[in-house]
């Protein structure tokens, strides 16, 4: 069958790069290789948090199948592989004794990428906090920036010289707000004070990690934030005000901290009383200069006024076609964030789309045409953003393969490659082949 074609390498500026992304807990198989317990293991083991109480103990068994997986990435024609390192695999107690098998695994994995001509783009934290640190409050604890800096140093002394790029923390909003205010992700808190502290400590930890890596002489360091287009559900002033609050918490708080050294007033109205004392002092390292910014983008949200309690918004279902996650497909939002971020926060700093993709109830024998059209629309949004002046240098698809989708377990399939979670067989989908057709040739 002839596949619909996607924008190809030839459509983009000459140095533009394609990549695919994964994360450690979602693919490796955390029950193996001496990794320590994480807050995701215990969150998943608690009734009602994760569909069917599934966890990452086996996942895609990438720990043992990584060579096959790297071959798939090479054969796709990708330039970049964005992966993450598990803190608990490297330091099972979060601090102290190193699990040598864990560091050795990443050592081989990185060499495997380099041998295949792939640029290793590492993330230090993609959500699997060691339980020993969670026991002490995790991101709510003011010592986190020190623990995170120590972990960064342990990792980078061994691996830093072979990484193409590093971002300390994937999606500060998810790590803090989604996990400590909404309670949807580990540790499952719903507490405004915990959320405020986690939001600040995530940024402070980011800054400390950047300082450590600069001290080791490392380059090409960045940050990866997630964005959701915030749209008013109707044209009333109250819906617009609710949308502005949502946008400030989700889309502006972290960029404002990183690039402007302050937090937006709309967020401080609700959170200032709960932030750590003297939090301003930390902006000195939070604003440590970066070499690039990564944007993760999937969807939009329609907002109207909530029940009166800050942040006083609620989401309303929107009219557009939805993915298997129930997320509306809204590529205009990607164009908006790429152009708006450059204008408001980052200027000429290189931007990357570090995650974008869709979940679909794929059947391995049927072409994933919905994903093809999602990719097509979002790649075209990238092209338009470049035309409009955004310094976008790469697009990284989420995800290489179907994997553990957090609170949704294994049900939501985001992969370019289908994974049979019984046999663990990998089968490239039509979207993989269509991308490979347009990107394999350099
Ligand atoms: C992002 C996460 C990633 C994956 C996608 C669908 O928020 O970074 O791990 O779950 O969403």
């Amino acid at each position: 069958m002839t596949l619909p074609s996607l924008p190809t390498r030839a459509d983009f500026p000459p140095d533009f790069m394609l990549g695919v992304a994964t994360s450690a807990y979602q693919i490796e198989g955390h029950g193996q290789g001496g990794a320590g317990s994480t807050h995701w293991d215990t969150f998943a083991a608690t009734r009602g948090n994760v569909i069917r109480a599934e966890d990452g103990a086996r996942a895609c068994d990438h720990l043992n199948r990584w060579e096959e997986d790297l071959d798939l990435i090479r054969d796709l024609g990708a330039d970049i592989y964005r992966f993450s390192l598990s803190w608990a695999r490297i330091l099972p107690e979060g601090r102290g004794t190193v699990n040598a098998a864990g560091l050795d695994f990443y050592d081989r994995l990185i060499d495997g990428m380099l041998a295949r001509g792939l640029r290793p783009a590492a993330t230090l934290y993609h959500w699997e906090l060691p339980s020993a640190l969670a026991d002490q409050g995790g991101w709510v604890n003011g010592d986190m920036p020190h623990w995170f800096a120590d972990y960064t140093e342990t990792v980078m002394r061994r691996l830093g010289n072979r990484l193409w790029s590093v971002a300390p923390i994937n999606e500060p909003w998810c790590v803090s707000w989604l996990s400590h205010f909404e309670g949807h992700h580990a540790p499952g808190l719903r507490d405004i004070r915990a959320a405020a502290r986690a939001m600040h400590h995530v940024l402070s930890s980011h800054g400390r990690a950047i300082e450590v890596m600069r001290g080791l002489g490392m380059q090409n360091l960045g940050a990866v934030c997630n964005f959701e287009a915030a749209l008013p559900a109707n044209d009333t002033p109250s819906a617009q005000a609710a949308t502005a609050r949502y946008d400030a918490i989700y889309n502006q708080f972290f960029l404002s901290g990183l690039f402007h050294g302050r937090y937006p007033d709309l967020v401080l109205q609700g959170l200032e009383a709960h932030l750590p004392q003297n939090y301003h002092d930390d902006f000195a390292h939070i604003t440590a200069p970066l070499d690039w910014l990564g944007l993760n983008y999937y969807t939009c949200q329609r907002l109207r006024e909530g029940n009166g309690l800050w942040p006083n918004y609620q989401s309303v279902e929107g009219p557009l076609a939805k993915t298997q996650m129930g997320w509306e497909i809204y590529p205009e939002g990607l164009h908006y964030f790429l152009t708006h971020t450059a204008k408001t926060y980052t200027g000429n700093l290189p931007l990357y789309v570090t995650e974008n993709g869709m979940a679909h109830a794929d059947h391995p024998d049927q072409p994933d045409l919905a994903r093809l059209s999602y990719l097509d629309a979002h790649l075209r949004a990238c092209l338009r953003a470049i035309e409009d002046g955004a310094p976008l240098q790469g697009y990284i698809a989420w995800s290489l393969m179907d994997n553990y989708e957090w609170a949704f377990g294994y049900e939501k399939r985001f992969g370019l490659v289908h994974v049979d979670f019984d046999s663990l067989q990998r089968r490239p989908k039509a979207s993989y082949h269509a991308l490979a057709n347009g990107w394999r040739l350099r």
Side-chain angles (χ1 to χ4, degrees):
M1 144 179 206
T2 322
L3 293 173
S5 62
L6 297 172
T8 71
R9 198 179 278 286
D11 295 312
F12 283 85
D15 295 331
F16 191 87
M17 288 188 269
L18 175 74
V20 287
T22 64
S23 90
Y25 192 81
Q26 294 179 275
I27 65 166
E28 285 176 0
H30 225 76
Q32 319 174 64
S37 167
T38 77
H39 69 177
W40 263 96
D41 299 303
T42 53
F43 182 75
T46 308
R47 187 182 57 205
N49 285 339
V50 177
I51 290 178
R52 289 181 293 273
E54 288 167 344
D55 62 24
R58 186 167 84 139
C60 305
D61 191 34
H62 174 71
L63 194 73
N64 298 304
R65 293 162 202 259
W66 59 272
E67 290 178 282
E68 178 187 352
D69 294 338
L70 293 186
D71 287 348
L72 283 165
I73 302 172
R74 177 199 56 206
D75 295 345
L76 176 68
D79 307 279
I80 299 170
Y81 176 36
R82 177 172 178 258
F83 69 110
S84 79
L85 305 154
S86 161
W87 191 341
R89 180 176 299 292
I90 293 169
L91 292 165
E93 295 294 314
R95 292 184 287 167
T97 311
V98 169
N99 170 32
L103 261 186
D104 288 350
F105 166 66
Y106 293 117
D107 198 286
R108 286 194 299 275
L109 187 69
I110 291 163
D111 282 347
M113 292 177 214
L114 297 174
R116 289 166 180 79
L118 297 168
R119 292 171 174 79
T123 304
L124 274 159
Y125 183 79
H126 199 128
W127 306 356
E128 62 287 268
L129 187 71
S131 295
L133 302 182
D135 292 343
Q136 298 181 61
W139 291 104
V140 180
N141 190 318
D143 285 334
M144 266 304 268
H146 307 291
W147 300 336
F148 191 67
D150 289 348
Y151 158 57
T152 302
E153 176 151 7
T154 303
V155 171
M156 293 310 166
R157 282 202 180 278
R158 173 81 177 270
L159 308 174
N161 61 349
R162 281 162 293 151
L163 296 172
W164 173 70
S165 75
V166 182
I169 294 167
N170 179 65
E171 299 189 346
W173 179 88
C174 287
V175 174
S176 54
W177 186 264
L178 184 68
S179 310
H180 297 77
F181 192 89
E182 307 282 2
H184 290 320
H185 278 185
L189 294 183
R190 291 167 51 75
D191 184 290
I192 193 169
R193 186 174 174 85
R197 282 161 188 261
M199 287 162 89
H200 181 71
H201 293 151
V202 164
L203 287 184
S204 181
S205 301
H206 156 92
R208 290 285 179 223
I210 295 289
E211 285 182 344
V212 166
M213 293 190 280
R214 293 287 182 216
L216 294 170
M218 292 176 62
Q219 288 164 11
N220 209 19
L221 309 179
V224 171
C225 295
N226 55 317
F227 299 87
E228 233 177 54
L231 308 172
N234 54 57
D235 56 15
T236 60
S238 65
Q240 278 159 11
T243 304
R245 286 188 295 276
Y246 187 90
D247 187 61
I249 295 168
Y250 202 121
N251 300 314
Q252 293 177 35
F253 180 88
F254 301 98
L255 288 188
S256 181
L258 291 169
F259 295 101
H260 291 166
R262 58 182 145 81
Y263 294 141
D265 289 341
L266 280 179
V267 185
L268 289 177
Q269 281 165 15
L271 294 190
E272 185 149 39
H274 307 296
L275 284 166
Q277 254 190 350
N278 304 328
Y279 73 89
H280 288 109
D281 297 349
D282 296 328
F283 285 125
H285 60 271
I286 289 174
T287 55
L290 298 176
D291 303 307
W292 54 271
L293 175 73
L295 294 90
N296 295 356
Y297 176 81
Y298 291 92
T299 188
C300 61
Q301 199 73 234
R302 320 264 169 182
L303 288 315
R304 63 174 226 215
E305 197 177 6
N307 64 1
L309 195 61
W310 191 90
N312 195 17
Y313 57 62
Q314 58 181 299
S315 297
V316 176
E317 193 179 328
L320 300 176
K322 299 188 181 65
T323 72
Q324 192 191 14
M325 299 294 279
W327 295 349
E328 280 185 275
I329 300 175
Y330 186 67
E332 295 77 5
L334 181 56
H335 172 272
Y336 166 76
F337 284 114
L338 290 169
T339 49
H340 173 79
T341 302
K343 234 179 272 158
T344 313
Y345 295 102
T346 53
N348 292 328
L349 196 74
L351 302 178
Y352 294 86
V353 174
T354 32
E355 283 184 29
N356 176 245
M358 76 177 280
H360 187 247
D362 299 313
H363 186 281
D365 296 325
Q366 281 157 18
D368 55 338
L369 297 177
R371 184 171 292 99
L372 269 168
S373 91
Y374 183 100
L375 292 173
D376 182 61
H378 288 81
L379 283 166
R380 287 183 198 286
C382 290
L383 282 170
R384 284 199 308 278
I386 293 171
E387 272 167 29
D388 293 340
L392 180 64
Q393 304 207 344
Y395 173 91
I396 302 178
W398 183 270
S399 176
L400 167 66
M401 58 188 162
D402 298 336
N403 58 47
Y404 179 66
E405 180 46 37
W406 307 113
F408 296 94
Y410 293 94
E411 205 172 79
K412 310 291 185 200
R413 295 184 174 272
F414 271 95
L416 302 174
V417 174
H418 185 274
V419 176
D420 176 323
F421 290 107
D422 294 319
S423 68
L424 294 172
Q425 192 196 357
R426 279 83 159 129
R427 280 171 68 183
K429 301 177 191 177
S431 53
Y432 173 101
H433 293 299
L435 268 182
N437 286 342
W439 291 81
R440 215 159 19 206
L441 296 178
R442 295 219 165 85

